[in-house]
């Protein structure tokens, strides 16, 4: 038994959703689950195929990137997760309990094109009220310095520069690299990554059909977002 069994199980189940939702080939993705009270997160071990994972193979890491528990090396993207938890959840006080990174096809396509994803329709507006942001490339100095940590720093800076709230905009594309998403828990981060992938696919198809298509009207965006997330939200069965 471990005092981290809850987040280890949560991280394990969320990582198993990556292949189930067709968000990555082979080992091209990872999810972490955060315990804000303990200041640690559970994350997938590096390079281990999904069928070989167990809850006990999850690695426990603190927000400084130090391994607290586990016999395997954590994901190579661990420093990015650590930065995002530290800056968004701990320092920023945001309600973030899970982070996912994948190399899903359509999201990566937009990231490689260095293009934010325009808000063309209500599927997108149901989840966030803005374009899906895309960062610029990391600088050569940042890549040589501490690549994965600097990736997290780049995301944090990009959100600050754009004035975005990570609780409301829970997804991002890293230029030339791929998508990251987060949520109130690990399962919700996977949900947001799946939404992002589908929205990226829809946006690309929209531009193929009409290269001059303009973003959805603000009044429709507001209606769709607020009916799910506003103070008088009425979508679903409530709590």
């Amino acid at each position: 038994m471990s005092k981290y069994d809850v987040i280890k199980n949560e991280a394990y189940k969320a990582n198993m959703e990556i292949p189930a939702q067709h968000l990555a080939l082979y080992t091209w993705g990872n999810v972490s689950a955060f315990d804000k009270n303990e200041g640690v997160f559970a994350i997938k071990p590096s390079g281990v195929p999904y069928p070989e994972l167990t809850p006990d193979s999850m690695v426990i890491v603190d927000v400084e990137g130090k391994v607290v528990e586990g016999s395997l090396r954590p994901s190579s993207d661990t420093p990015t997760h650590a930065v995002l938890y530290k800056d968004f959840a701990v320092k920023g006080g945001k309600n973030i309990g899970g982070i996912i990174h994948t190399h899903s096809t359509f999201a990566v396509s937009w990231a490689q094109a260095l293009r934010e994803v325009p808000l063309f329709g209500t599927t997108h507006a149901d989840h966030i009220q803005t374009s899906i942001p895309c960062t610029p490339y990391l600088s050569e100095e940042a890549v040589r310095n501490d690549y994965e940590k600097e990736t997290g720093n780049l995301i944090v800076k990009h959100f600050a520069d754009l004035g975005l709230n990570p609780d409301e905009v829970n997804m991002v594309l890293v230029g030339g690299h791929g998508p990251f998403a987060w949520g109130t828990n690990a399962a919700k981060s996977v949900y947001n990554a799946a939404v992002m992938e589908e929205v990226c696919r829809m946006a690309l198809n929209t531009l193929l059909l009409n290269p001059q298509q303009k973003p959805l009207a603000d009044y429709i965006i507001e209606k769709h977002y607020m009916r799910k997330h506003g103070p008088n939200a009425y979508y679903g069965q409530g709590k």
Side-chain angles (χ1 to χ4, degrees):
M1 292 289 291
S2 163
K3 68 177 181 177
Y4 305 120
D5 279 347
V6 171
I7 57 172
K8 286 165 72 174
N9 276 285
E10 185 182 343
Y12 165 73
K13 290 178 182 178
N15 274 285
M16 296 306 289
E17 281 296 299
I18 290 178
Q21 298 301 324
H22 307 289
L23 293 173
L25 295 174
Y26 302 113
T27 60
W28 301 356
N30 48 77
V31 188
S32 62
F34 186 48
D35 183 333
K36 189 171 184 178
N37 291 328
E38 294 288 340
V40 299
F41 56 95
I43 193 165
K44 178 184 178 294
S46 180
V48 178
Y50 297 102
E52 297 178 16
L53 294 177
T54 67
D56 284 339
S57 63
M58 300 297 110
V59 186
I60 304 299
V61 183
D62 67 20
V63 294
E64 301 300 333
K66 178 183 177 182
V67 173
V68 174
E69 179 181 292
S71 59
L72 298 173
R73 284 188 307 179
S75 165
S76 57
D77 295 301
T78 294
T80 309
H81 290 243
V83 168
L84 296 180
Y85 285 128
K86 185 176 182 179
D87 281 83
F88 284 167
V90 178
K91 291 182 181 178
K94 304 305 181 185
N95 189 20
I96 296 172
I99 295 170
I100 181 172
H101 169 54
T102 75
H103 288 263
S104 56
T105 302
F106 290 95
V108 167
S109 299
W110 284 88
Q112 290 179 170
L114 286 179
R115 288 195 59 180
E116 65 177 23
V117 183
L119 201 169
F120 285 133
T122 62
T123 308
H124 187 149
D126 278 340
H127 297 90
I128 64 173
Q129 291 180 285
T130 69
S131 299
I132 299 173
C134 181
T135 75
Y137 288 143
L138 275 169
S139 69
E140 184 175 356
E141 179 184 4
V143 171
R144 289 179 174 176
N145 177 32
D146 191 337
Y147 176 60
E148 289 82 8
K149 182 177 180 180
E150 293 292 356
T151 298
N153 290 336
L154 178 65
I155 293 170
V156 171
K157 181 180 186 302
H158 197 62
F159 268 61
D161 289 346
L162 296 178
L164 297 176
N165 180 347
D167 276 344
E168 296 175 355
V169 181
N170 44 36
M171 53 189 71
V172 66
L173 302 171
V174 174
H177 184 34
F180 285 82
W182 47 85
T184 53
N185 53 46
K188 189 66 175 178
S189 74
V190 177
Y191 171 86
N192 290 333
V195 167
M196 174 163 45
E197 175 66 1
E198 188 66 10
V199 166
C200 286
R201 184 171 74 92
M202 291 175 173
L204 177 60
N205 287 339
T206 299
L207 290 175
L208 288 172
L209 290 165
N210 182 4
Q212 282 75 48
Q213 181 60 43
K214 291 184 170 27
L216 189 65
D218 287 344
Y219 67 92
I220 302 177
I221 294 172
E222 182 177 7
K223 177 63 177 179
H224 269 262
Y225 184 82
M226 297 305 286
R227 71 176 189 156
K228 272 193 169 185
H229 307 283
N232 299 311
Y234 58 87
Y235 178 89
Q237 298 303 311
K239 296 181 181 179

